[in-house]
Structure formats: structure tokens, C-alpha cells
Amino acid sequence: MEALIALVIGVLTAGGVFLALRGQTFPVVLGLTLLSYAVNLFLFVMGRLAIGVPPVISAAAEGYTDPLPQALVLTAIVISFGMTAFVIVLALKARAELGNDHVDGLAHEEDR
Amino acid sequence: MNGFAHLPILPVVWPLFAGVLLLALRRAPLPVQRGVSLAAVLALLPLALALIDATADGSHLVYKLGNWVAPYGIVLVADRLAAWMLLTTALLAGFALLYALRGIDQEGRHFHVLFQLQLFGLNGAFLTGDLFNLFVFFEILLLASYGLLLHGGGRLRVKAGLHYVVINLVGSTLFLFAVGTLYGVAGTLNMADLAVKLAATPAENAALVQAAALLLFGVFALKAALLPLYLWLPAAYAHTSAPVAALFAIMTKVGAYSILRVYSLIAGGDAGPLAGLLDAWLAPLALATLALGMLGAVAATALRQQVAYLVVASVGSLLLAFGLGSADAVAAGLYYLPHSVFATAALFLVADSIARGRGRLGDAFESGPAMPNARVLGGLFFVAAVAVAGLPPLSGFLGKFMLLQAALDTRLTAWTWTVVLATGLLGVIALARSGSLLFYKTHGRDDAGTQVAPTTAALAPAAGLLLLVAGLTVWAGPASDFAAAAAAQLQAPQHYIDAVLGEAAAGDAR
């Protein structure tokens, strides 16, 4: 299972980096989203993978999974969700102000 | 428990409370909003002074949130360095806000809310003793800074803002990767506990820990605008509104602070896989940043762009001091830090008045019409330029002198002297050239458009910031003594660790 998770994180990161380096704002936003998915998974598995064990103390438990990464990843998800919402609105505003969806706002006569 | 025990958390919750209050007051009359915002910022000053007073004897004020003992709970730690940064932030924010009250706060919505939340993030980042909390406070100050940067809108501002937001989102992702790796190896995120655990890392994990620590350094270098990660800064700072650019003078210093704080703890000892980790990177990169930042200032085509490059150069000087690593060098850096913050912020404010005074040309380096009230404006520009270039008699000279003196007994003496002195000369040339072009090489005002004469209210905040620089010069003795004491405290991370984790031992005994 570790190898599979590592592969998933790797593929998500690679896709995220590739898309974040594109020239249009929409792929860049998608790339940032994929990167945040990758890092959320990564944070989550940093508590080591465990199946069917509780994070909170209980008398019947045979073992425990680390609850801290779960709390961290919740925080990270909330933050990355807010950031994604912000960057989408900003991309729309840039599209309206710059007249195209290139990240550098190309081909505007005043900039030359 | 006396009221004093809650002192470390007050600078964090106070701006948050003020920000929420201002959000509720968003339909209130403008003078009420401005009054609340200004009062909230001014109230940070006595808090910062009280923290300076409380930490001056070298003690660490450890505040346990929810009274959970470290390393299980989250702590805020106030020491000399944190108090020093808080005082700098409070003073800078007061003058930046005074400038904004002239009407820039009405160019968009929620300026005062964002301003307070920005201070919430900054103060939190300076006080936290937990690496993940540092990430959260970084996100708070960044999200507020996105809003402030874009405040007022405009095509170039949106374009620069998009780059700023995207690169900082990538930086946040890398921060989380680094934090996750450190947690995966050490099993803790409390910085003091991390220092203990990482020093005892088994050899098979050494490479992993080093990779995570260097990734974290990359993130901090991005925030601090260290070469080669400074390319976002000039456009973002040059195109935002003046009070925001002035406030952002402290933003790059948050990155520098984080490098100093985190690496003095986790790489401060002589043992462990992280000892001396940044020696090979920080000082050489800082030298290159200083050189390229100053070259950028020489090549700039507009005044605000030039000041933005001077911010890059000041980060170079600062991180050079931190990178040299000796107590004297760090002390020189800590003395130079508030100076460079105040001086560049003052120059941003003066540049805005100059741009308004030149009408259509703005702050572009082109021969233009004579400015109204040019004598006062020119005088302020001259003093700010002397401060930024590090000429005597102001504190920039003293800071650089301390840095050069501290460099004498390090292995980078020749490099430091050459680069610092050469960039000092370049800075003088760049600022003298822009000053003579803007103020002397003038012609008639037939094609100028609307020229706005600077009012006293517009000039007073810049003058106030320059008075702070003068104060830093007059009281250089006490200021450099405090900086030296803060540096000495950082050189002995064991006290920090004992102060945070000693509480845990005492708690167990109870």
C-alpha cells in the first residue's frame, strides 16, 4: 500500500508541477489544486499508514493511528480550499483586466 | 496567575479582534472605521514595548495555549528577537496606516480589515514556537497581503498580483512538504522539541532530514526574496499602493526572521545531521542577492521599481549578516533590520508623493515638469536616500559598519567587504541619478496633466519614519546592545529549548 500511495502522490505532484508551469491561468489553477491534493495526501500518510485502528484512546483498541497528521491535514485542506477560491477569482479578474487569460497578460499595447 | 502572564498572546489576538470588529463596522461612518483601525495599531506599540521590557533580562516568555504543556500543546514564545520584530512591525504599521488614511483606504473595500489581519499574521509568525503554526500564520499574512496588494485594482497591479499569489501558493505547498517530512522523521512540530529530536536523528534518516531542512530553507528564501527567488518582488512592490508597499517592507524580513529562528534552533548545535547546514548556501546567495538587487536599482526605469530593488538589496545585506553566523554579525543584522525597514518604507511613501506631483509621468525616470513643493519633497527624498544608501551619519552606515567589522574574523571577509562596499557605491550612484533627474532636470509643465502638491498629512508619515531612523542613530548604543543581546540569546538555543520543554518536565512533576 505504501508504494501505491507514494506513486499517487508522485503522479499528482508531477501533474501539478507540469500544469502550474503552463501559460494560461486555468491550467495553472488546476496545477496548484493538484499540488495541494498531493501535499494533503503526503501530510496524511506522514503519520504512517494503519488500517482499522482508532486515533483516540479507547479500551478495546489494539493499536493507534497518529491523530496529529489528521488534524494538520484538515487545517491544510481548509487553507488550500480558501486559497484556490481566491486564485480562481483573481484569475477571472485578471482575464477581465488584461483582456486575455495568459499569466503574463501578453499582447497589451501599453506594456511595450 | 497575573495579567502579565497573558502578555505574549495579546499582540496576536488584538489585531484579530480589531479586524473582526472592523468587519462588523464596515457600514459605520468612515471616521469611526479609521479611528478604530488606528487605535488598534497604536495599541500594539505599548504591547511591544512591554514585551521588550519583559524579555530584556534574557528570559523566554512561554505561553501555553489552553495550558497544554509543550511539546503536546502549542506554545507562543517571546524572546528578545520576537519582541524586537514586534516593535519594528508596530512602528512601521502605525506610519503606513497614517499614510493610508489620506484616502487610499477608500480605493477598495475592507482595507482596514485586511490591514489588521496582516498584522495578526505577522505578529503570530514572530511569536509562535510551533512549525505548523508558523505555516498557518504565514498563510494568514499572505492571504491578507494578497488582498492588500490588489487593493484599488488596476491592470498592472492585477498582473503583478497574479504572479505573487501563484508563486506564494507553490511556496506554501513546499512548506507543507518540508513540515510533513520533518514530522514523519521526528514525530513533533514544536520547534524546541524538533531541535532535540533532530539532533539525535539516526544516520539512516540524516539525508531525509537534510532534504526537508533545505526545502524549508527554500521556502523561507522565497518569502525573503533571496536570489534566485526574488523575481516576484520588484513588480509586486512597484505596482501596489504606497502604504501597502511600505508595510510590505517588513514582509521580506519575516522570511529572514524565520531563517534565523528555525535554523538557530534546528541547526544551531554542533552535533546532528543539520549542524552547519546553511553555511554553504546562505552567505554566498546573500552576497549575490545584494549585488544583483543593487544592479537592478541602477537599471530601474521608475522610482518605485528602484526602491523595490533596494528592498532586495537590503534583504541581501540582512541575510549576509545572518549567514556569516557569528554573534557579532547577527547583532549587526538585527540592528540593520529595523533601519532598512523604516528607510525603504519612507522611500516608498516619498516616491508616491513624487509620482503624484509629476502628474501623467508618474515616477518614471524621464525628464518632467517641476514638482509643486519640490523643496520639502526633495529634502525628504535626500534624507531617505542617505538612509537607504547607508551613508553617514544615519543608522544604515552604522549597521553596515558593524557588519563589515563582524566580517573581519570570518572566512568571507574579502567577499563581504568587496560586495558591501561596491554595492554601497552603486546605491549612492543610483539614488543620486534618480534624485537629480526627478528634481533638477525639469522643464515646463505644459503637458503634465494633473499635478498634486503633497500635503503635510502626506509627508508626515515619511518624515516620521525618517525620525525613527534618526532615533535609531541617536540611540544606537542601547539599540545595538539589545541587538547584541538578542544575537547572543540565539547563539545559545539550549535556553530556548529548556524554557519551552522545561515547562513539560515541571508539569510532569506536579
Side-chain angles (χ1 to χ4, degrees):
Chain A
M1 190 162 63
E2 276 82 358
L4 186 63
I5 293 273
L7 200 65
V8 167
I9 295 173
V11 170
L12 277 175
T13 311
V17 169
F18 176 75
L19 284 175
L21 293 174
R22 305 291 291 177
Q24 260 84 38
T25 44
F26 184 65
V28 170
V29 174
L30 278 188
L32 292 172
T33 315
L34 286 187
L35 273 177
S36 73
Y37 290 167
V39 79
N40 288 343
L41 263 182
F42 180 80
L43 268 185
F44 185 70
V45 301
M46 271 304 122
R48 305 297 188 269
L49 294 169
I51 296 175
V53 288
V56 185
I57 295 174
S58 82
E62 293 164 9
Y64 295 102
T65 181
D66 192 344
L68 191 66
Q70 306 187 6
L72 297 184
V73 85
L74 271 179
T75 316
I77 288 171
V78 172
I79 290 176
S80 67
F81 182 74
M83 292 292 180
T84 307
F86 181 83
V87 80
I88 287 173
V89 174
L90 181 60
L92 285 173
K93 190 172 163 63
R95 168 71 184 79
E97 295 253 359
L98 303 171
N100 59 61
D101 67 342
H102 196 278
V103 284
D104 285 332
L106 284 180
H108 198 287
E109 64 277 9
E110 283 177 38
D111 287 348
R112 294 201 192 120
Chain B
M1 183 171 275
N2 53 16
F4 209 57
H6 291 287
L7 184 61
I9 200 168
L10 285 179
V12 184
V13 293
W14 182 259
L16 174 65
F17 174 73
V20 175
L21 181 69
L22 282 163
L23 197 59
L25 286 176
R26 67 190 182 280
R27 301 200 196 290
L30 192 55
V32 176
Q33 293 186 31
R34 288 178 169 173
V36 169
S37 191
L38 192 61
V41 170
L42 291 182
L44 287 177
L45 204 53
L47 289 179
L49 286 171
L51 271 177
I52 289 262
D53 186 49
T55 55
D57 59 351
S59 60
H60 294 81
L61 302 185
V62 180
Y63 186 83
K64 294 168 285 178
L65 287 138
N67 219 14
W68 288 89
V69 289
Y72 309 108
I74 288 169
V75 290
L76 299 177
V77 186
D79 61 357
R80 289 188 183 118
L81 173 63
W84 187 242
M85 300 300 294
L86 286 175
L87 183 63
T88 309
T89 310
L91 288 168
L92 173 72
F95 286 109
L97 188 63
L98 270 182
Y99 193 83
L101 292 186
R102 292 175 44 256
I104 294 163
D105 57 340
Q106 291 309 301
E107 285 175 5
R109 280 187 290 176
H110 299 317
F111 179 88
H112 293 292
V113 179
L114 291 168
F115 197 90
Q116 297 294 334
L117 291 181
Q118 171 88 65
L119 293 176
F120 167 53
L122 284 168
N123 289 353
F126 293 141
L127 282 170
T128 186
D130 183 276
L131 203 54
F132 195 79
N133 251 31
L134 186 64
F135 165 76
V136 173
F137 282 120
F138 263 56
E139 292 306 301
I140 292 169
L141 73 89
L142 283 173
L143 197 46
S145 79
Y146 302 154
L148 284 176
L149 183 78
L150 294 162
H151 185 84
R155 214 169 48 77
L156 289 173
R157 202 170 284 180
V158 169
K159 182 175 144 186
L162 190 65
H163 293 181
Y164 176 75
V165 171
V166 168
I167 196 160
N168 274 304
L169 285 179
V170 174
S172 305
T173 310
L174 292 178
F175 197 158
L176 278 180
F177 272 118
V179 165
T181 313
L182 285 177
Y183 181 79
V185 175
T188 181
L189 287 171
N190 181 295
M191 287 199 254
D193 199 27
L194 210 51
V196 176
K197 297 265 167 60
L198 288 182
T201 311
E204 73 259 26
N205 282 337
L208 202 54
V209 169
Q210 283 168 351
L214 281 175
L215 194 57
L216 202 56
F217 170 61
V219 176
F220 294 150
L222 172 71
K223 313 286 180 200
L226 186 69
L227 184 97
L229 300 169
Y230 72 87
L231 295 168
W232 56 270
L233 189 144
Y237 281 37
H239 292 131
T240 187
S241 59
V244 176
L247 182 66
F248 280 14
I250 192 87
M251 289 274 283
T252 51
K253 274 65 177 181
V254 181
Y257 162 85
S258 306
I259 289 176
L260 192 58
R261 165 72 76 213
V262 172
Y263 290 92
S264 73
L265 279 171
I266 68 172
D270 296 326
L274 296 179
L277 183 71
L278 293 188
D279 288 356
W281 295 98
L282 189 52
L285 284 177
L287 281 169
T289 310
L290 177 56
L292 275 172
M294 213 46 108
L295 285 177
V298 174
T301 55
L303 183 56
R304 278 179 295 181
Q305 195 186 15
Q306 185 170 55
V307 186
Y309 274 108
L310 289 169
V311 171
V312 175
S314 81
V315 167
S317 311
L318 193 60
L319 288 178
L320 174 61
F322 295 167
L324 290 177
S326 68
D328 287 345
V330 174
L334 289 179
Y335 176 77
Y336 185 74
L337 190 149
H339 157 81
S340 74
V341 168
F342 298 148
T344 47
L347 207 47
F348 269 122
L349 297 184
V350 174
D352 190 52
S353 287
I354 290 175
R356 284 163 193 263
R358 278 160 53 92
R360 203 168 42 79
L361 273 179
D363 61 345
F365 286 148
E366 284 171 46
S367 165
M371 279 168 267
N373 214 351
R375 278 169 204 273
V376 184
L377 207 51
L380 275 179
F381 176 81
F382 178 72
V383 178
V386 165
V388 169
L391 290 180
L394 291 177
S395 46
F397 170 73
L398 297 175
K400 283 197 175 169
F401 184 76
M402 285 163 68
L403 174 62
L404 291 179
Q405 203 174 27
L408 277 178
D409 44 6
T410 62
R411 62 199 165 79
L412 284 172
T413 309
W415 279 105
T416 306
W417 276 68
T418 314
V419 174
V420 169
L421 292 177
T423 54
L425 179 65
L426 277 180
V428 173
I429 292 172
L431 284 163
R433 204 197 50 160
S434 30
S436 61
L437 183 72
L438 291 171
F439 289 97
Y440 293 145
K441 209 171 161 193
T442 54
H443 57 71
R445 51 179 70 187
D446 40 357
D447 58 342
T450 338
Q451 290 181 295
V452 185
T455 57
T456 316
L459 296 176
L465 284 167
L466 291 175
L467 278 180
L468 287 180
V469 171
L472 210 51
T473 316
V474 174
W475 287 285
S480 60
D481 285 349
F482 192 87
Q489 201 173 23
L490 288 170
Q491 298 279 322
Q494 196 56 42
H495 292 300
Y496 182 99
I497 295 168
D498 289 343
V500 174
L501 297 184
E503 304 272 326
D508 290 342
R510 243 182 263 132

